[in-house]
Amino acid sequence: MKTKNKVITIDGIDKKILRALMADARTPILEIARNVGISGAAIHQRLRKLEKAKLITGSKFIIDPKVLGYTTMAFMGLYLDNSVNNETIFRELKKIPEVVECHYTTGQWNIFIKVLCYNNEHVMHLLNNKIQTIVGVLRTETLISLDKQIDRQIKI
Amino acid sequence: MKTKNKVITIDGIDKKILRALMADARTPILEIARNVGISGAAIHQRLRKLEKAKLITGSKFIIDPKVLGYTTMAFMGLYLDNSVNNETIFRELKKIPEVVECHYTTGQWNIFIKVLCYNNEHVMHLLNNKIQTIVGVLRTETLISLDKQIDRQIKI
DNA sequence: AGTGAAAGTGGATGTGG
DNA sequence: CCACATCCACTTTCACT
């Protein structure tokens, strides 16, 4: 069990700062300062506060996997053998670079993952040679994402 | 139909640059320059090349929704009425801030979405008052993510 | 919480190899 | 493709309010 995270409240200025940086992590602090009408140093303090509260967990360049040839996104539901420890499965899944998300879920499957592949053949290979060979994985179901229409963070 | 994206190849230096910036979008270019052993100006040129190729699609501050109280993540599979246009559904879903991902998928459902909620009650409210009221949505199935173990970008 | 100033660093660009 | 040099803008910190 993880320790409980405190829920924090943020004001309008924090929201403006976050919205700017969530849209573009390299937005100059001074530019934000000019837009919200306070000094750069004040923005700094607020950012430190937000980082300390762990609301900001980092910043990332976002790349488009399609440009590297990863044109096929798929979701897979995994049925597991009751006798196997989830942690073992997670450890194996983390080793597979194509697996970009992994959830322990309610419902028909035990584990639900998102994968990125070059094409359907790659999906097949991944299933046969990587996923299905993990000890404890009994059966899988695959959904192909034909079109990703929304992909965003929670609205601030 | 979108226009076809060209698949590009990147060399070892590009990979190092991308890995640094994918981990932390605010990594100074000069720091990367020192690490890979070429000048800052060269890094600049390569970044422009990668942006031009649309491999880099932007940069974002990543926030942890849990700290704002969004402790419940769920996936929902939507069954649609054949007579309704998908675009109409996408448009409605985009208006719902809790919906952070939306895919048109193969398999039992027509549309598959990811949502962020405060709690199970919020999930229920979302289903009853937002999702199920969209014209064309016949039925839904919901999976709750009890634990997110992996959430990353494709490995470079 | 916020300001303002000061010192250091980094971003961006043009010239030339 | 890359280095070097330059200029300007931005980050970061601190004393003060």
Side-chain angles (χ1 to χ4, degrees):
Chain A
M1 290 273 289
K2 290 211 208 116
T3 52
K4 205 193 266 185
N5 263 341
K6 215 175 276 172
V7 174
I8 66 162
T9 47
I10 56 179
D11 68 11
I13 295 179
D14 290 323
K15 288 184 188 177
K16 283 185 182 174
I17 298 170
L18 286 171
R19 276 197 278 257
L21 291 169
M22 285 168 72
D24 179 358
R26 293 188 90 110
T27 313
I29 290 181
L30 289 178
E31 189 182 312
I32 302 173
R34 284 189 291 270
N35 287 338
V36 306
I38 62 175
S39 71
I43 306 279
H44 244 267
Q45 287 188 346
R46 283 169 174 270
L47 278 173
R48 271 199 293 271
K49 178 194 71 179
L50 296 171
E51 280 166 10
K52 204 176 159 195
K54 303 246 206 286
L55 174 55
I56 295 172
T57 59
S59 67
K60 292 185 166 47
F61 259 57
I62 309 298
I63 64 155
D64 181 356
K66 286 202 193 83
V67 178
L68 292 177
Y70 292 94
T71 55
T72 305
M73 177 183 285
F75 295 95
M76 297 177 182
L78 276 55
Y79 294 92
L80 302 185
D81 188 327
N82 285 332
S83 67
V84 70
N85 189 334
N86 281 335
E87 298 305 322
T88 321
I89 308 284
F90 295 145
R91 204 176 315 124
E92 292 305 311
L93 288 171
K94 278 175 190 157
K95 291 182 196 163
I96 305 173
E98 289 94 338
V99 176
V100 293
E101 262 184 71
C102 168
H103 302 264
Y104 180 57
T105 53
T106 66
Q108 51 187 332
W109 306 301
N110 300 96
I111 284 179
F112 188 67
I113 66 177
K114 186 202 275 184
V115 304
L116 282 175
C117 289
Y118 292 122
N119 47 40
N120 287 343
E121 195 181 350
H122 187 183
V123 174
M124 191 178 69
H125 184 268
L126 189 69
L127 273 171
N128 286 333
N129 300 76
K130 303 279 183 170
I131 309 288
Q132 308 258 28
T133 58
I134 296 174
V135 177
V137 173
L138 296 180
R139 200 161 66 80
T140 64
E141 280 173 23
T142 302
L143 320 183
I144 305 281
S145 169
L146 300 172
D147 187 18
K148 184 173 73 177
Q149 279 280 334
I150 302 178
D151 190 4
R152 59 189 179 194
Q153 293 195 70
I154 194 71
K155 196 179 172 189
I156 299 288
Chain B
M1 291 274 289
K2 288 210 209 113
T3 52
K4 207 193 261 185
N5 262 340
K6 217 174 276 172
V7 174
I8 65 161
T9 48
I10 56 179
D11 68 11
I13 294 180
D14 290 323
K15 288 184 188 177
K16 283 185 182 175
I17 297 171
L18 286 171
R19 276 197 279 258
L21 290 170
M22 285 167 72
D24 179 358
R26 292 188 90 107
T27 313
I29 290 180
L30 290 178
E31 189 182 312
I32 302 172
R34 285 189 291 270
N35 288 337
V36 307
I38 62 175
S39 73
I43 306 279
H44 244 267
Q45 287 188 342
R46 282 169 175 270
L47 278 174
R48 271 201 292 269
K49 179 194 71 181
L50 294 171
E51 279 165 12
K52 203 175 161 197
K54 302 247 208 283
L55 176 54
I56 295 172
T57 57
S59 68
K60 291 186 165 47
F61 259 56
I62 309 297
I63 66 155
D64 181 356
K66 286 203 193 80
V67 177
L68 292 178
Y70 293 93
T71 55
T72 305
M73 178 183 285
F75 295 95
M76 297 177 183
L78 276 54
Y79 294 92
L80 301 186
D81 189 326
N82 285 334
S83 68
V84 70
N85 188 335
N86 282 333
E87 298 305 322
T88 321
I89 308 285
F90 295 146
R91 205 177 314 125
E92 291 306 312
L93 289 171
K94 279 175 189 157
K95 291 182 196 163
I96 305 173
E98 290 93 337
V99 176
V100 293
E101 261 182 72
C102 169
H103 303 264
Y104 180 56
T105 54
T106 67
Q108 52 187 330
W109 305 302
N110 300 96
I111 284 180
F112 189 67
I113 65 176
K114 187 202 274 185
V115 304
L116 282 174
C117 289
Y118 292 123
N119 47 41
N120 287 344
E121 196 181 349
H122 187 184
V123 174
M124 190 177 70
H125 184 268
L126 190 69
L127 273 171
N128 286 333
N129 300 75
K130 303 280 182 169
I131 309 290
Q132 309 258 28
T133 57
I134 296 174
V135 176
V137 173
L138 296 180
R139 203 160 65 81
T140 65
E141 280 172 24
T142 302
L143 319 183
I144 305 280
S145 169
L146 301 171
D147 188 18
K148 184 173 73 178
Q149 279 280 334
I150 302 177
D151 191 3
R152 61 189 177 195
Q153 293 195 69
I154 194 70
K155 197 180 171 187
I156 299 288

